[in-house]
């Protein structure tokens, strides 16, 4: 699910991730919130799960901005695309 080719950014992304610790930390934090949201879904805590996933998406969007600023434009666009898909799925699920 990556419509934007980011293979040419691989070498640059390694350098960015090595020097910009906040980008890696935000990615880990976003993943932890997302995993927590998924666990809460299985525990039938839908409101909490939705909030955790939305926090995860917010962190992901902020991180995409940092990546864009560091020149990792395709990677940032892929993250924003993924976030948009998740939001659309959540909206679709909520309407049913």
């Amino acid at each position: 699910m990556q419509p934007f080719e980011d293979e040419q950014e691989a070498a640059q992304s390694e350098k960015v991730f090595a020097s910009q610790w906040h980008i890696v930390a935000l990615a880990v934090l976003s993943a932890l919130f997302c995993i927590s949201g998924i666990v809460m879904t299985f525990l039938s805590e839908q409101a909490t799960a939705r909030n955790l996933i939305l926090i995860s998406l917010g962190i992901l969007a902020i991180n995409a901005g940092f990546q864009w600023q560091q020149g990792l434009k395709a990677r940032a666009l892929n993250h924003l695309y993924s976030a948009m898909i998740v939001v659309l799925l959540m909206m679709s699920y909520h309407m049913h």
Side-chain angles (χ1 to χ4, degrees):
M1 210 168 77
Q2 294 184 338
F4 303 97
E5 294 294 326
D6 61 358
E7 284 125 14
Q8 63 271 22
E9 295 177 353
Q12 183 181 0
S13 66
E14 288 179 22
K15 291 177 189 174
V16 168
F17 296 151
S19 65
Q20 304 290 323
W21 62 269
H22 62 281
I23 292 176
V24 177
L26 285 174
V28 170
L29 189 61
S30 177
L32 290 175
F33 273 104
C34 186
I35 290 167
S36 299
I38 292 168
V39 168
M40 288 304 209
T41 299
F42 290 125
L43 296 175
S44 298
E45 296 288 334
Q46 301 301 322
T48 303
R50 182 180 58 245
N51 290 338
L52 289 170
I53 292 172
L54 289 173
I55 290 169
S56 172
L57 292 174
I59 294 169
L60 180 73
I62 291 167
N63 205 14
F66 285 132
Q67 290 178 356
W68 184 277
Q69 182 182 17
Q70 294 297 319
L72 304 175
K73 295 184 188 259
R75 185 176 292 266
L77 289 172
N78 283 331
H79 287 314
L80 292 175
Y81 178 80
S82 298
M84 182 186 68
I85 295 297
V86 171
V87 168
L88 291 174
L89 288 172
M90 288 176 69
M91 288 173 56
S92 173
Y93 177 75
H94 183 65
M95 291 179 164
H96 289 95

